[in-house]
């Protein structure tokens, strides 16, 4: 029952989060910092109340050094991922990049370790899929930009910087996962505690982005007011979108947290991968994002490579074989 509930939380929370993030970005493409800050503040407040018992509970993982490194990486990845949307990055391409953190993690492990051919095949397929989607998106930037040749070059370089930011954030996220794994081996799994400190400790860092956050807060306040039935008050629509985005982000994270405690890692990976694929399809169809046949090919290759990485086919075959053996024993 808990597993079904967690899967529902992941799909409803994460898919809704993507929708409202795109609504925010389409209205104000530079709003990544205020969205990131709101998400961090909400999760930090919830963790302060329910995880640390208003600061009275001591952390299981020592604060010095360990959390400083992890929090720095997490803050950097979160800010860069959302800020990359300022650089003419289409939401589908953004989601494809964020769907391959497992493969990036494997790439960082390549040199000290040896892996099976299926792992290397999955890396090749995901790399090829991202390459196809990126090249096709680059062509759309070139053909979509109107103006002088200098403006076209500037638009392309602007987009290329966004791609570089996503690539850096992808590799940094994978490195953070490896570091987090070593901490859990040393001190035990304390994912909810890590979730709180990852969101609470970086909050002072948003002072560096305070002017941008304030400016977008003013712009949000000037957006079209809409009537909220529950409270009977008119609220600027962008603030409403932001609130729903923050709540759905929390619901998504909670769902993944429950899944990790109830299911095997393979199940979690499959649920999250399927959720990302459905979010991608919804973004393309509902928001009519440009997506060519080559984009579909690249996307299919990325997700197929991810499934090969998780060895889902092997698991399915083993499960079917086990059922057949059970039937044969009953027949005897």
């Amino acid at each position: 029952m808990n597993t079904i509930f967690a899967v529902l939380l992941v799909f409803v929370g994460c898919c809704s989060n993507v929708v409202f993030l795109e609504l925010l970005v389409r209205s104000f493409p530079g709003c990544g910092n205020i969205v990131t800050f709101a998400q961090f503040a909400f999760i930090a407040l919830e963790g302060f109340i329910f995880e640390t018992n208003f600061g009275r509970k001591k952390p299981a993982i020592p604060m010095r050094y360990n959390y400083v490194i992890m929090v720095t990486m997490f803050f950097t990845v979160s800010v860069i991922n959302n800020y990359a949307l300022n650089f003419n990055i289409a939401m589908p391409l953004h989601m494809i990049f964020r769907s391959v953190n497992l493969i990036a993690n494997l790439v960082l492990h390549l040199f000290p370790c040896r892996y099976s051919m299926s792992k290397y095949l999955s890396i090749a397929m995901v790399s090829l899929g991202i390459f196809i989607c990126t090249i096709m998106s680059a062509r759309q930037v070139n053909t979509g930009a109107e103006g002088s040749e200098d403006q076209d070059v500037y638009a392309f370089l602007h987009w290329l910087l966004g791609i570089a930011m996503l690539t850096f954030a992808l590799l940094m996220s994978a490195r953070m996962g490896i570091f987090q794994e070593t901490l859990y081996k040393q001190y035990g799994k304390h994912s909810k505690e890590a979730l709180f400190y990852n969101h609470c400790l970086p909050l002072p860092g948003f002072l560096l982005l305070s002017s941008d956050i304030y400016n977008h807060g003013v712009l949000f306040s000037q957006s079209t007011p809409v009537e909220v039935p529950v409270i009977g008050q008119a609220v600027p629509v962008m603030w409403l979108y932001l609130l729903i985005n923050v709540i759905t982000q929390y619901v998504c994270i909670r769902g993944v947290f429950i899944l990790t405690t109830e299911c095997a890692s393979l199940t979690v990976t499959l649920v999250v991968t399927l959720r990302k694929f459905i979010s991608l399809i919804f973004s393309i169809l509902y928001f009519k994002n440009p997506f060519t046949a080559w984009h579909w090919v690249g996307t299919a290759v990325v997700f197929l490579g991810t499934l090969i990485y998780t060895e889902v086919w092997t698991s399915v075959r083993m499960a079917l074989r086990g059922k057949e053996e059970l039937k044969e024993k009953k027949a005897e």
Side-chain angles (χ1 to χ4, degrees):
M1 192 68 183
N2 283 343
T3 303
I4 298 173
F5 178 66
V7 171
L8 285 174
L9 286 182
V10 170
F11 276 92
V12 174
C14 297
C15 293
S16 302
N17 178 260
V18 169
V19 170
F20 285 97
L21 177 60
E22 184 148 6
L23 287 171
L24 287 163
V25 171
R26 279 174 171 261
S27 301
F28 296 99
C31 69
N33 288 331
I34 191 173
V35 172
T36 308
F37 172 71
Q39 292 174 349
F40 272 57
F42 182 87
I43 293 173
L45 178 62
E46 187 274 343
F48 180 72
I49 297 170
F50 297 105
E51 172 59 22
T52 69
N53 193 18
F54 296 94
R56 289 193 287 266
K57 179 183 175 183
K58 289 185 178 181
I61 300 175
M63 291 289 290
R64 64 185 186 281
Y65 179 69
N66 296 316
Y67 270 126
V68 171
I69 293 176
M70 188 162 65
V71 163
T72 302
M73 288 192 287
F74 185 74
F75 175 75
T76 305
V77 168
S78 299
V79 171
I80 289 178
N81 263 328
N82 281 340
Y83 196 68
L85 293 168
N86 297 11
F87 292 83
N88 202 21
I89 300 292
M91 187 62 76
L93 184 62
H94 189 268
M95 283 189 278
I96 290 169
F97 261 85
R98 297 189 69 176
S99 297
V100 295
N101 52 340
L102 276 173
I103 309 301
N105 187 291
L106 180 60
V107 169
L108 292 182
H109 274 105
L110 273 179
F111 296 104
C113 303
R114 290 184 178 181
Y115 288 94
S116 63
M117 282 303 298
S118 65
K119 301 295 186 187
Y120 291 105
L121 177 63
S122 67
I123 291 175
M125 291 182 68
V126 169
S127 301
L128 176 63
I130 290 178
F131 178 76
I132 293 171
C133 291
T134 304
I135 291 298
M136 297 311 299
S137 297
R139 290 182 62 184
Q140 288 176 349
V141 170
N142 287 336
T143 57
E146 295 180 359
S148 65
E149 186 176 338
D150 289 341
Q151 288 176 322
D152 291 349
V153 171
Y154 173 78
F156 177 71
L157 292 176
H158 192 69
W159 174 85
L160 207 58
L161 181 58
I163 293 295
M165 292 172 71
L166 285 178
T167 304
F168 174 80
L170 176 65
L171 294 174
M172 176 73 82
S173 177
R175 183 66 189 86
M176 182 182 71
I178 295 170
F179 182 76
Q180 197 167 353
E181 190 178 319
T182 59
L183 281 185
Y184 286 167
K185 283 180 181 178
Q186 185 176 355
Y187 298 103
K189 283 193 175 183
H190 303 281
S191 51
K192 201 173 180 189
E193 175 189 294
L195 181 68
F196 165 69
Y197 285 109
N198 278 344
H199 287 82
C200 179
L201 296 182
L203 287 177
F206 286 100
L207 290 173
L208 301 172
L209 311 169
S210 57
S211 59
D212 180 72
I213 293 171
Y214 173 78
N215 291 336
H216 278 90
V218 172
L219 292 173
F220 279 19
S221 298
Q222 294 171 353
S223 61
T224 307
V226 292
E227 187 80 21
V228 181
V230 179
I231 61 175
Q233 294 287 330
V235 177
V237 67
M238 296 307 294
W239 283 115
L240 186 62
Y241 287 165
L242 181 61
L243 176 64
I244 298 174
N245 174 266
V246 167
I247 293 173
T248 52
Q249 171 78 358
Y250 173 73
V251 170
C252 176
I253 290 174
R254 288 293 295 154
V256 173
F257 172 75
I258 295 171
L259 269 183
T260 56
T261 58
E262 295 288 332
C263 306
S265 59
L266 175 63
T267 305
V268 177
T269 302
L270 286 177
V271 170
V272 172
T273 303
L274 184 59
R275 190 279 303 169
K276 288 177 178 177
F277 186 73
I278 291 174
S279 297
L280 177 65
I281 301 301
F282 188 84
S283 174
I284 294 163
L285 297 179
Y286 184 78
F287 291 102
K288 294 181 173 60
N289 282 308
F291 216 71
T292 65
W294 280 108
H295 280 101
W296 283 112
V297 171
T299 302
V301 172
V302 166
F303 282 98
L304 184 58
T306 304
L307 291 175
I308 290 175
Y309 170 83
T310 59
E311 298 179 348
V312 63
W313 317 117
T314 306
S315 301
V316 170
R317 279 200 303 269
M318 288 177 64
L320 291 174
R321 193 180 302 160
K323 287 182 179 179
E324 288 177 1
E325 289 176 357
L326 189 64
K327 285 181 181 178
E328 288 176 2
K329 285 182 180 179
K330 286 182 178 180
E332 292 172 1

